[in-house]
Amino acid sequence: MIYLLLRERGYGKAIAEFYSSSQNAIQKQLIRMEEDGVVVSRAIGKLQEYELNPRYPFLVQLTALIRKAIEAYPQDLITKLTMTRNRPRKAEKPVVYADEKSLKVPRSKTTKQTKLTL
């Protein structure tokens, strides 16, 4: 649930790889949580993508509890959890963490404007 809270969604295989756990064990827990209404899934091709159920009646209390548990996590693990990059970055490109992205001001795109003459 910590993985799903911080990353918003995930696949059973990705969660299992992150925690170095059995994919079968993770998948069974995800199915149980889906049966209980804690998580919801959607099929993307042959894969099931899971996320916390926004309609779960105790979602606010559950997320508060999970956030308290996250405080006990080491900072490097929290940083790894919040990174969302799926493909390798270029060697010279700096690492930008999720919390730093929100601080950046988006650049305005410059476009050429052409005038129509009649």
Side-chain angles (χ1 to χ4, degrees), residues 10-11 17-20 26-27 29 31 42 46 49-50 62-65 71 74 78 84 104 108-109 113 118:
Y11 302 99
E17 287 175 355
F18 182 83
Y19 287 106
S20 301
I26 297 293
Q27 200 66 40
Q29 290 301 317
I31 290 169
R42 66 183 177 133
K46 293 182 180 180
E49 182 181 58
Y50 293 89
L62 180 63
T63 55
L65 180 64
E71 292 175 9
I78 294 171
T84 57
K104 290 187 177 182
S108 62
K109 294 182 180 178
Q113 295 181 351
L118 299 176

Side-chain angles (χ1 to χ4, degrees), residues 5-48:
L5 179 67
L6 291 177
R7 293 218 175 165
E8 296 179 6
R9 59 183 51 95
Y11 302 99
K13 182 178 180 181
I15 296 169
E17 287 175 355
F18 182 83
Y19 287 106
S20 301
S21 182
S22 160
Q23 183 178 350
N24 190 32
I26 297 293
Q27 200 66 40
K28 284 181 181 180
Q29 290 301 317
L30 287 168
I31 290 169
R32 285 182 189 150
M33 287 190 292
E34 186 173 24
E35 289 171 354
D36 293 337
V38 178
V39 299
V40 291
S41 69
R42 66 183 177 133
I44 300 178
K46 293 182 180 180
L47 301 174
Q48 287 294 114

Side-chain angles (χ1 to χ4, degrees), residues 107-118:
R107 294 185 199 173
S108 62
K109 294 182 180 178
T110 56
T111 58
K112 291 183 180 179
Q113 295 181 351
T114 57
K115 293 182 180 178
L116 294 174
T117 54
L118 299 176

